[in-house]
Amino acid sequence: MLDSYKLRSVCSLPFVSDKKINTVGTSNADVPLADPGMYQLDITLRRGQSLAARDRGGTSDPYVKFKIGRKEVFRSKIIHKNLNPVWEEKSCILVEHLREPLYIKVFDYDFGLQDDFMGSAFLDLTQLELNRSTDVTLPLKDPHYPDHDLGVILLSVILSPKEGEPRDVTMLMRKSWKRSSKFQTQSLRLSDQHRKSHLWRGIVSITLIEGRDLKAMDSNGLSDPYVKFRLGHQKYKSKIMPKTLNPQWREQFDFHLYEERGGIIDITAWDKDAGKRDDFIGRCQVDLSSLSREQTHKLELQLEEGAGHLVLLVTLTASATVSISDLSVNSLEDQKEREEILKRYSPLRIFHNLKDVGFLQVKVIRAEGLMAADVTGKSDPFCVVELNNDRLLTHTVYKNLNPEWNKVFTFNIKDIHSVLEVTVYDEDRDRSADFLGKVAIPLLSIQNGEQKAYVLKNKQLTGPTKGVIYLEIDVIFNAVKASLRTLIPKEQKYIEEENRLSKQLLLRNFIRMKRCVMVLVNAAYYINSCFDWDSPPRSLAAFVLFLFVVWNFELYMIPLVLLLLLTWNYFLIISGKDNRQRDTVVEDMLEDEEEEDDKDDKDSEKKGFINKIYAIQEVCVSVQNILDEVASLGERIKNTFNWTVPFLSWLAIVALCVFTVILYFIPLRYIVLVWGINKFTKKLRSPYAIDNNELLDFLSRVPSDVQVVQYQELKPDPSHSPYKRKKNNPG
C-alpha cells in the first residue's frame, strides 16, 4: 500500500491582479502551443459567491478541488456553513501540457457521508497570457442539470514558463490521516535548494486557558467544546470538555514560526457530537506580526460567527538550535563548538532555560538494499527525520537503491524520552510517495558517535522491510533538567492519526488488559492460599511476617519496599538472571493488526448503514482506547521495575529514597499540611498554571509493551557492513 505522503509541485507567490476574464473552458485541441517543456501555474483561490445550499439548514460546508488530467493537484480547506466562502488560498502547480484544462470541482463536506457535489467548471489554460496576473470568474454548472444556477468561483492566476528541470522545483509534502472514511491533508514545504524555507526561525508557545460563555449547541443547553488551531501546515486539536459553556482546558503546545514577519493563527471552536457532524461554535484569529517577541501576551478573543470568548497566552521566542548541513560541516567535530555545547548542558546550568534539555545531532549517511518502487527497478529515495513535532528532510537521490545523503541534522531536545523517527520514501512527481521503510530510536538508547546500520521496518514497526540505513547519532543532555522535565506533561503531536474501530486492536487491548488484571488475580489467589494453609511452611512464614510488619509498620516502609523491589530487580539483571522475556504475544497481535490496517475503507451502498451504527462505533472506539490506557498503565509500572529504561528506573530510585527519608523524619500531618496548602494556593499563586500529575507524567515516559516491541532494534544482515561498502556497486 502506498504511504500517505503525497508529493506535488507547489509554491507560494504574491499575486497582483490587472486583468479580468470570465470563461468556462473551451476546447483547445487546435491551438498551436510553443511548449517550453514545463509551465508554472500560480493560483489564488479567492472566494465563492451564491453557492448552492446542500444541507438541511439551508447552508453548505464548501471546499474546492483542482484537477489536471484526472489527477488532483490541490484541495482547499473547508469553510463551514457559508454560501459565500472566502478562501484566499495560494498554490503553485506544474503543468506539462496546456491542452489539459484545469478542472475545478466544488463539494459540500458531510462528516461520515458522501460529500455532496456543488458544481464544476474548467479553465482553458491556452487562453491565459504568459507572465501576467488574471482574475477569473467561473460559473459553476452541474452536467446533469445544466440550467441550474450554482454560483461562481473567483480565482487569480498567473501562467509562466518554468525554467530548469522539473526535479528542482519546490514540492509540497502532504501527510494524510484518516477521519471516518475520508482523508484530510496537512502540508510541509520541501526542497533542496529551498532548504532554509523549512527551517523554523522561532517558536510560538500557546497556552489555551479557558472559554467563556460559549454558544450552547446541544438540546440540554450545553456544549462539549474543543478547539482547533492552525498555523500554515501545523495543526493542533485540544481535548474535549464535556457539558460546559465555560471550559477550562489549561493546555500548552508549540508551533514553529517560519516567517520573520509572523503569520496568522486560525482558531475554530467546535461542539463534539457522537454519531453526527460536530457543530461549529465560532472562529477567531491571532496576527503574530502584531505581537512583540520574548514576551507573554494574554489574549481574550471574541468568537466570530458565534458567541463567547477564548482566553490564550501566546509567547514568541527565538528559534531553537535546528540546522541541516553537509557531512563536512559538523558541529561536534569542531572542538570550539563542541565545548560550547557541552558547557550549555553542563550540571552548573541546571536552572538556565529548563525547556532546553539537550542537543541532538543526526548524521544520515546512506542506505543500502532499498526496495525498488519504480517500474524501472530503481527508486528515488529521500529521508524524513522527525523528533516529536520537529521534521527535517534530505534531498532526493534519483534512480538509486543505495543512496548516499551525507547530511547532518541538529535538533533541540525538549524531552530526553522522545523517540527519533527516520523514514525513507520514494519520490514520485505525479502520485503519492511510496513508503520504503522506517526506524524508531529512543534517545536514551543511542550510543554516541557510533555509526550503525539500522534495519528498516514496516509502517507499524513490527517487522523488517527491505534495506538498511546507516546513521551516526550523538546526544548531549543535562540529566537534572531531563529528570525535572519528566515530571511535567509530555509534548503532544500536532496531528496524530485519529483512532478508528479495529477488531484486531480491540482484541489486542483486551488481551493486554486481561494480562494486567490476571497479575492482580494471581496475587489474590496466592494470598488466599496462605490463609487456607495449602502450604503450611509458607503460611507460617506469611503469618510471622504479617505480625512483624503490622506491629512495626511506619508509612516510610511503603516507598522503602518499592525501593527494595527495584534494587532486587537491578541486581538480578546485572548478575545475568534477568527474567524479562520478549513479548511474542504482543508482536503477533501487532502483525495481525498491520494486515487489517492495509485494508482501506471504501465508499459503497453501505454508507447509510454505517451512518446508523456510527454512534455505536464511537462507543467501541472509546472502550478500545480505555482498554489501551489501562493496559499501558499496568505495563508501564511493570517496565519501571523491570529496568526497561534504566534512566527512569534510576530516577524512581532517587525519588523513592527521598520519599523514604521524608516519611521517616517528618510527621505525616506536616506533609499533608504542606500538600494541602500547595493545592489550595496554587490557583492563587499561578492562575494560568497547567494542571498535571507528576506520577502519571513520569509513567507516560515509560514505554508500554507495544512500544517496547516497536522500538526494538533488529539485527542487520552480516553482509551489510560499513567496511564492505566499497566492494558494493551502488544501484
Side-chain angles (χ1 to χ4, degrees):
M1 187 178 76
L2 294 180
D3 189 64
S4 54
Y5 281 88
K6 295 184 177 180
L7 290 140
R8 295 192 183 94
S9 301
V10 178
C11 62
S12 298
L13 290 171
F15 290 85
V16 182
S17 301
D18 58 8
K19 183 180 176 182
K20 294 188 178 182
I21 64 173
N22 186 319
T23 176
V24 177
T26 58
S27 172
N28 52 17
D30 300 323
V31 180
L33 296 175
D35 191 350
M38 188 72 69
Y39 291 89
Q40 180 173 302
L41 182 64
D42 297 304
I43 307 176
T44 301
L45 174 61
R46 296 291 186 193
R47 62 186 185 276
Q49 290 181 354
S50 305
L51 301 185
R54 291 291 188 252
D55 295 339
R56 283 177 292 182
T59 63
S60 293
D61 304 313
Y63 67 91
V64 180
K65 291 181 182 179
F66 293 164
K67 288 188 174 184
I68 292 181
R70 298 185 179 180
K71 294 171 186 173
E72 183 180 324
V73 293
F74 171 80
R75 181 182 295 207
S76 75
K77 64 185 178 184
I78 301 165
I79 304 294
H80 292 273
K81 297 184 179 179
N82 200 325
L83 299 182
N84 297 286
V86 177
W87 283 284
E88 293 296 338
E89 291 188 52
K90 300 174 183 177
S91 69
C92 174
I93 303 165
L94 285 186
V95 182
E96 294 187 24
H97 307 289
L98 294 187
R99 286 191 172 86
E100 292 280 3
L102 176 70
Y103 194 33
I104 297 102
K105 299 180 80 171
V106 184
F107 292 90
D108 167 53
Y109 174 71
D110 283 326
F111 180 73
L113 299 172
Q114 182 71 41
D115 292 351
D116 297 319
F117 179 68
M118 295 178 63
S120 64
F122 57 91
L123 176 64
D124 186 353
L125 302 183
T126 63
Q127 302 298 314
L128 300 176
E129 292 187 38
L130 293 179
N131 300 315
R132 187 168 186 181
S133 179
T134 306
D135 286 345
V136 183
T137 302
L138 298 172
L140 296 173
K141 296 294 180 183
D142 186 340
H144 300 291
Y145 306 98
D147 297 331
H148 288 190
D149 183 9
L150 302 179
V152 297
I153 290 290
L154 284 78
L155 312 172
S156 291
V157 296
I158 299 177
L159 181 67
S160 55
K162 180 65 182 175
E163 297 178 0
E165 295 185 21
R167 68 180 61 177
D168 294 331
V169 300
T170 305
M171 296 171 290
L172 187 71
M173 187 173 189
R174 314 188 85 164
K175 182 177 182 180
S176 304
W177 65 92
K178 206 157 198 175
R179 179 179 179 180
S180 183
S181 61
K182 304 238 178 205
F183 288 87
Q184 305 294 324
T185 59
Q186 68 169 336
S187 59
L188 176 66
R189 187 172 295 276
L190 311 175
S191 139
D192 191 27
Q193 77 270 26
H194 293 105
R195 187 173 292 129
K196 291 181 181 178
S197 69
H198 71 272
L199 293 178
W200 45 98
R201 303 181 181 184
I203 302 292
V204 185
S205 181
I206 302 171
T207 304
L208 173 61
I209 302 297
E210 62 185 359
R212 297 176 185 167
D213 304 319
L214 300 184
K215 189 175 180 180
M217 307 302 293
D218 297 336
S219 57
N220 58 7
L222 299 172
S223 292
D224 304 309
Y226 65 91
V227 181
K228 291 181 178 180
F229 295 81
R230 177 174 177 173
L231 176 61
H233 67 269
Q234 304 168 91
K235 298 180 183 180
Y236 179 83
K237 179 181 174 182
S238 77
K239 60 189 176 187
I240 300 166
M241 305 300 292
K243 296 181 174 57
T244 179
L245 299 180
N246 297 284
Q248 298 284 322
W249 281 287
R250 299 290 198 275
E251 292 186 49
Q252 192 276 331
F253 59 96
D254 294 337
F255 279 158
H256 295 146
L257 192 60
Y258 290 87
E259 300 178 14
E260 288 283 1
R261 62 180 180 278
I264 302 292
I265 301 178
D266 292 310
I267 306 169
T268 53
W270 300 84
D271 167 54
K272 179 67 177 177
D273 284 326
K276 58 180 181 178
R277 186 176 58 195
D278 295 349
D279 296 320
F280 177 73
I281 295 178
R283 72 173 69 247
C284 55
Q285 290 185 330
V286 176
D287 185 357
L288 297 177
S289 63
S290 64
L291 303 180
S292 55
R293 302 294 178 100
E294 310 299 336
Q295 181 180 341
T296 299
H297 305 268
K298 180 184 176 184
L299 306 178
E300 296 186 17
L301 304 173
Q302 170 74 45
L303 290 175
E304 301 172 4
E305 304 175 36
H309 296 77
L310 294 179
V311 180
L312 313 175
L313 298 179
V314 181
T315 308
L316 276 66
T317 57
S319 174
T321 308
V322 182
S323 69
I324 305 177
S325 61
D326 293 324
L327 205 56
S328 56
V329 184
N330 186 343
S331 298
L332 293 180
E333 288 181 2
D334 185 323
Q335 191 60 33
K336 188 177 179 181
E337 260 192 84
R338 186 181 183 87
E339 289 175 2
E340 190 106 4
I341 293 169
L342 289 170
K343 182 181 176 183
R344 191 192 314 160
Y345 301 109
S346 70
L348 300 177
R349 295 172 63 88
I350 295 172
F351 300 106
H352 179 76
N353 191 3
L354 284 174
K355 287 187 176 182
D356 186 12
V357 170
F359 173 87
L360 172 67
Q361 177 178 280
V362 184
K363 294 182 185 177
V364 181
I365 300 168
R366 66 180 185 276
E368 290 182 355
L370 295 180
M371 189 187 310
D374 298 338
V375 292
T376 59
K378 302 288 184 181
S379 291
D380 304 321
F382 66 94
C383 210
V384 180
V385 184
E386 296 178 81
L387 184 69
N388 292 331
N389 291 306
D390 298 346
R391 183 186 292 116
L392 298 173
L393 305 104
T394 69
H395 60 284
T396 301
V397 178
Y398 292 91
K399 301 190 186 322
N400 204 317
L401 300 181
N402 302 297
E404 293 194 10
W405 291 290
N406 292 322
K407 295 295 178 185
V408 179
F409 300 86
T410 64
F411 297 89
N412 252 87
I413 299 174
K414 292 180 275 188
D415 188 346
I416 195 59
H417 311 289
S418 301
V419 177
L420 176 70
E421 295 183 358
V422 181
T423 314
V424 183
Y425 295 95
D426 167 63
E427 179 191 318
D428 282 312
R429 275 188 50 235
D430 55 355
R431 61 187 177 90
S432 57
D434 295 332
F435 174 88
L436 298 180
K438 179 178 183 179
V439 292
I441 309 166
L443 297 186
L444 285 170
S445 69
I446 290 169
Q447 297 175 338
N448 282 356
E450 180 183 351
Q451 183 179 324
K452 292 183 70 173
Y454 292 88
V455 176
L456 293 172
K457 295 184 177 182
N458 54 30
K459 292 177 193 173
Q460 278 66 39
L461 297 169
T462 55
T465 187
K466 193 175 181 185
V468 296
I469 185 167
Y470 287 89
L471 306 174
E472 184 179 323
I473 312 173
D474 288 272
V475 177
I476 298 173
F477 68 98
N478 184 300
V480 178
K481 281 187 187 180
S483 302
L484 294 174
R485 289 284 292 175
T486 304
L487 304 178
I488 67 173
K490 193 175 182 181
E491 181 182 6
Q492 299 297 316
K493 286 230 175 185
Y494 298 140
I495 293 295
E496 293 185 308
E497 188 172 323
E498 293 193 10
N499 292 316
R500 60 190 180 92
L501 185 61
S502 162
K503 181 181 70 176
Q504 293 292 344
L505 185 58
L506 188 61
L507 177 63
R508 183 190 83 186
N509 291 342
F510 177 77
I511 293 174
R512 291 169 61 208
M513 175 72 176
K514 180 182 175 183
R515 292 166 67 194
C516 293
V517 171
M518 287 307 297
V519 172
L520 301 176
V521 171
N522 291 334
Y525 279 137
Y526 184 84
I527 294 171
N528 194 56
S529 70
C530 294
F531 296 150
D532 293 340
W533 292 83
D534 293 341
S535 171
R538 187 178 65 195
S539 296
L540 181 61
F543 182 52
V544 172
L545 181 64
F546 169 76
L547 293 175
F548 177 80
V549 169
V550 171
W551 186 256
N552 297 283
F553 178 77
E554 296 289 346
L555 199 60
Y556 72 86
M557 293 180 181
I558 296 176
L560 181 60
V561 169
L562 297 175
L563 179 61
L564 291 174
L565 180 59
L566 267 168
T567 308
W568 173 256
N569 283 340
Y570 174 72
F571 283 114
L572 282 178
I573 292 169
I574 63 173
S575 64
K577 298 178 181 178
D578 184 9
N579 57 359
R580 296 176 295 177
Q581 296 178 349
R582 185 172 175 177
D583 203 333
T584 55
V585 176
V586 173
E587 286 187 29
D588 292 342
M589 288 188 291
L590 283 170
E591 287 172 4
D592 292 340
E593 184 189 332
E594 182 194 352
E595 293 176 7
E596 183 175 294
D597 283 344
D598 283 342
K599 299 173 184 175
D600 199 7
D601 292 336
K602 304 290 184 182
D603 294 331
S604 66
E605 296 94 12
K606 296 180 181 178
K607 278 278 186 182
F609 175 72
I610 292 173
N611 190 46
K612 290 177 184 177
I613 66 167
Y614 191 78
I616 300 173
Q617 179 176 323
E618 282 215 344
V619 172
C620 292
V621 169
S622 299
V623 171
Q624 175 179 286
N625 294 341
I626 291 169
L627 289 172
D628 177 54
E629 289 176 10
V630 175
S632 294
L633 184 63
E635 292 165 356
R636 286 181 168 125
I637 294 171
K638 177 198 71 174
N639 291 335
T640 301
F641 287 93
N642 277 354
W643 291 78
T644 301
V645 182
F647 181 91
L648 290 171
S649 297
W650 280 116
L651 185 59
I653 280 184
V654 172
L656 289 171
C657 287
V658 172
F659 293 152
T660 302
V661 171
I662 289 174
L663 290 171
Y664 183 80
F665 287 105
I666 302 176
L668 182 62
R669 66 173 64 88
Y670 294 136
I671 297 172
V672 174
L673 190 63
V674 171
W675 174 83
I677 291 172
N678 175 63
K679 283 292 183 184
F680 277 103
T681 60
K682 188 174 183 179
K683 189 79 181 261
L684 300 176
R685 289 182 283 112
S686 183
Y688 303 120
I690 298 173
D691 297 328
N692 70 301
N693 182 301
E694 287 80 4
L695 179 59
L696 293 179
D697 290 334
F698 170 85
L699 289 173
S700 71
R701 269 58 175 213
V702 183
S704 65
D705 286 352
V706 172
Q707 290 171 319
V708 168
V709 172
Q710 291 175 333
Y711 301 158
Q712 276 176 351
E713 188 179 326
L714 301 178
K715 292 183 178 179
D717 190 309
S719 62
H720 289 292
S721 167
Y723 304 107
K724 296 181 181 180
R725 173 70 176 134
K726 292 182 179 179
K727 298 179 183 179
N728 296 337
N729 223 356

PDB file of all heavy atoms in Angstrom, residues 422-434:
ATOM      1  N   VAL A 422      13.130   7.985  11.739  1.00  0.00           N
ATOM      2  CA  VAL A 422      13.763   8.215  10.438  1.00  0.00           C
ATOM      3  C   VAL A 422      13.023   7.344   9.417  1.00  0.00           C
ATOM      4  O   VAL A 422      12.983   6.120   9.555  1.00  0.00           O
ATOM      5  CB  VAL A 422      15.262   7.863  10.465  1.00  0.00           C
ATOM      6  CG1 VAL A 422      15.892   8.147   9.114  1.00  0.00           C
ATOM      7  CG2 VAL A 422      15.977   8.639  11.565  1.00  0.00           C
ATOM      8  N   THR A 423      12.423   7.992   8.423  1.00  0.00           N
ATOM      9  CA  THR A 423      11.601   7.289   7.444  1.00  0.00           C
ATOM     10  C   THR A 423      12.138   7.549   6.044  1.00  0.00           C
ATOM     11  O   THR A 423      12.516   8.682   5.713  1.00  0.00           O
ATOM     12  CB  THR A 423      10.135   7.760   7.515  1.00  0.00           C
ATOM     13  OG1 THR A 423       9.718   7.805   8.880  1.00  0.00           O
ATOM     14  CG2 THR A 423       9.224   6.822   6.751  1.00  0.00           C
ATOM     15  N   VAL A 424      12.183   6.503   5.232  1.00  0.00           N
ATOM     16  CA  VAL A 424      12.663   6.617   3.852  1.00  0.00           C
ATOM     17  C   VAL A 424      11.475   6.469   2.911  1.00  0.00           C
ATOM     18  O   VAL A 424      10.656   5.545   3.063  1.00  0.00           O
ATOM     19  CB  VAL A 424      13.723   5.544   3.532  1.00  0.00           C
ATOM     20  CG1 VAL A 424      14.259   5.725   2.120  1.00  0.00           C
ATOM     21  CG2 VAL A 424      14.863   5.602   4.540  1.00  0.00           C
ATOM     22  N   TYR A 425      11.364   7.390   1.955  1.00  0.00           N
ATOM     23  CA  TYR A 425      10.291   7.382   0.956  1.00  0.00           C
ATOM     24  C   TYR A 425      10.880   7.396  -0.451  1.00  0.00           C
ATOM     25  O   TYR A 425      12.005   7.854  -0.663  1.00  0.00           O
ATOM     26  CB  TYR A 425       9.380   8.609   1.116  1.00  0.00           C
ATOM     27  CG  TYR A 425       8.619   8.659   2.402  1.00  0.00           C
ATOM     28  CD1 TYR A 425       9.118   9.365   3.490  1.00  0.00           C
ATOM     29  CD2 TYR A 425       7.406   7.994   2.549  1.00  0.00           C
ATOM     30  CE1 TYR A 425       8.430   9.415   4.687  1.00  0.00           C
ATOM     31  CE2 TYR A 425       6.710   8.039   3.738  1.00  0.00           C
ATOM     32  CZ  TYR A 425       7.224   8.749   4.797  1.00  0.00           C
ATOM     33  OH  TYR A 425       6.531   8.788   5.992  1.00  0.00           O
ATOM     34  N   ASP A 426      10.076   6.939  -1.384  1.00  0.00           N
ATOM     35  CA  ASP A 426      10.411   7.051  -2.804  1.00  0.00           C
ATOM     36  C   ASP A 426       9.614   8.202  -3.384  1.00  0.00           C
ATOM     37  O   ASP A 426       8.377   8.205  -3.314  1.00  0.00           O
ATOM     38  CB  ASP A 426      10.067   5.748  -3.533  1.00  0.00           C
ATOM     39  CG  ASP A 426      10.102   5.921  -5.041  1.00  0.00           C
ATOM     40  OD1 ASP A 426      11.184   6.222  -5.567  1.00  0.00           O
ATOM     41  OD2 ASP A 426       9.032   5.776  -5.680  1.00  0.00           O
ATOM     42  N   GLU A 427      10.299   9.187  -3.955  1.00  0.00           N
ATOM     43  CA  GLU A 427       9.614  10.357  -4.502  1.00  0.00           C
ATOM     44  C   GLU A 427       8.971  10.021  -5.844  1.00  0.00           C
ATOM     45  O   GLU A 427       9.590   9.406  -6.711  1.00  0.00           O
ATOM     46  CB  GLU A 427      10.604  11.514  -4.680  1.00  0.00           C
ATOM     47  CG  GLU A 427       9.963  12.762  -5.282  1.00  0.00           C
ATOM     48  CD  GLU A 427      10.992  13.794  -5.703  1.00  0.00           C
ATOM     49  OE1 GLU A 427      11.959  14.014  -4.948  1.00  0.00           O
ATOM     50  OE2 GLU A 427      10.834  14.354  -6.803  1.00  0.00           O
ATOM     51  N   ASP A 428       7.720  10.444  -6.001  1.00  0.00           N
ATOM     52  CA  ASP A 428       7.020  10.337  -7.283  1.00  0.00           C
ATOM     53  C   ASP A 428       6.385  11.681  -7.575  1.00  0.00           C
ATOM     54  O   ASP A 428       5.610  12.196  -6.765  1.00  0.00           O
ATOM     55  CB  ASP A 428       5.943   9.243  -7.234  1.00  0.00           C
ATOM     56  CG  ASP A 428       6.536   7.852  -7.363  1.00  0.00           C
ATOM     57  OD1 ASP A 428       7.356   7.662  -8.267  1.00  0.00           O
ATOM     58  OD2 ASP A 428       6.202   6.983  -6.551  1.00  0.00           O
ATOM     59  N   ARG A 429       6.696  12.243  -8.716  1.00  0.00           N
ATOM     60  CA  ARG A 429       6.226  13.590  -9.036  1.00  0.00           C
ATOM     61  C   ARG A 429       4.720  13.672  -9.163  1.00  0.00           C
ATOM     62  O   ARG A 429       4.099  14.630  -8.765  1.00  0.00           O
ATOM     63  CB  ARG A 429       6.871  14.075 -10.345  1.00  0.00           C
ATOM     64  CG  ARG A 429       8.228  14.689 -10.161  1.00  0.00           C
ATOM     65  CD  ARG A 429       8.707  15.318 -11.458  1.00  0.00           C
ATOM     66  NE  ARG A 429       7.709  16.192 -12.025  1.00  0.00           N
ATOM     67  CZ  ARG A 429       7.238  16.078 -13.277  1.00  0.00           C
ATOM     68  NH1 ARG A 429       7.669  15.119 -14.055  1.00  0.00           N
ATOM     69  NH2 ARG A 429       6.342  16.921 -13.727  1.00  0.00           N
ATOM     70  N   ASP A 430       4.098  12.651  -9.745  1.00  0.00           N
ATOM     71  CA  ASP A 430       2.690  12.779 -10.083  1.00  0.00           C
ATOM     72  C   ASP A 430       1.777  11.868  -9.265  1.00  0.00           C
ATOM     73  O   ASP A 430       0.619  11.687  -9.607  1.00  0.00           O
ATOM     74  CB  ASP A 430       2.478  12.514 -11.582  1.00  0.00           C
ATOM     75  CG  ASP A 430       3.041  11.153 -11.993  1.00  0.00           C
ATOM     76  OD1 ASP A 430       3.665  10.500 -11.133  1.00  0.00           O
ATOM     77  OD2 ASP A 430       2.842  10.762 -13.155  1.00  0.00           O
ATOM     78  N   ARG A 431       2.292  11.264  -8.216  1.00  0.00           N
ATOM     79  CA  ARG A 431       1.417  10.475  -7.351  1.00  0.00           C
ATOM     80  C   ARG A 431       2.026  10.390  -5.956  1.00  0.00           C
ATOM     81  O   ARG A 431       3.090  10.936  -5.702  1.00  0.00           O
ATOM     82  CB  ARG A 431       1.177   9.081  -7.937  1.00  0.00           C
ATOM     83  CG  ARG A 431       2.419   8.231  -8.114  1.00  0.00           C
ATOM     84  CD  ARG A 431       2.086   6.954  -8.859  1.00  0.00           C
ATOM     85  NE  ARG A 431       3.252   6.131  -9.112  1.00  0.00           N
ATOM     86  CZ  ARG A 431       3.706   5.187  -8.304  1.00  0.00           C
ATOM     87  NH1 ARG A 431       3.075   4.948  -7.167  1.00  0.00           N
ATOM     88  NH2 ARG A 431       4.767   4.482  -8.607  1.00  0.00           N
ATOM     89  N   SER A 432       1.307   9.741  -5.049  1.00  0.00           N
ATOM     90  CA  SER A 432       1.755   9.705  -3.665  1.00  0.00           C
ATOM     91  C   SER A 432       3.079   8.979  -3.544  1.00  0.00           C
ATOM     92  O   SER A 432       3.376   8.053  -4.292  1.00  0.00           O
ATOM     93  CB  SER A 432       0.702   9.015  -2.795  1.00  0.00           C
ATOM     94  OG  SER A 432       0.442   7.722  -3.281  1.00  0.00           O
ATOM     95  N   ALA A 433       3.885   9.412  -2.573  1.00  0.00           N
ATOM     96  CA  ALA A 433       5.206   8.828  -2.360  1.00  0.00           C
ATOM     97  C   ALA A 433       5.073   7.425  -1.786  1.00  0.00           C
ATOM     98  O   ALA A 433       4.179   7.137  -1.001  1.00  0.00           O
ATOM     99  CB  ALA A 433       6.020   9.710  -1.419  1.00  0.00           C
ATOM    100  N   ASP A 434       5.970   6.550  -2.204  1.00  0.00           N
ATOM    101  CA  ASP A 434       5.968   5.178  -1.703  1.00  0.00           C
ATOM    102  C   ASP A 434       6.776   5.089  -0.412  1.00  0.00           C
ATOM    103  O   ASP A 434       7.888   5.616  -0.323  1.00  0.00           O
ATOM    104  CB  ASP A 434       6.587   4.227  -2.742  1.00  0.00           C
ATOM    105  CG  ASP A 434       5.756   4.147  -4.007  1.00  0.00           C
ATOM    106  OD1 ASP A 434       4.538   4.357  -3.918  1.00  0.00           O
ATOM    107  OD2 ASP A 434       6.335   3.892  -5.076  1.00  0.00           O
TER     108      ASP A 434
END
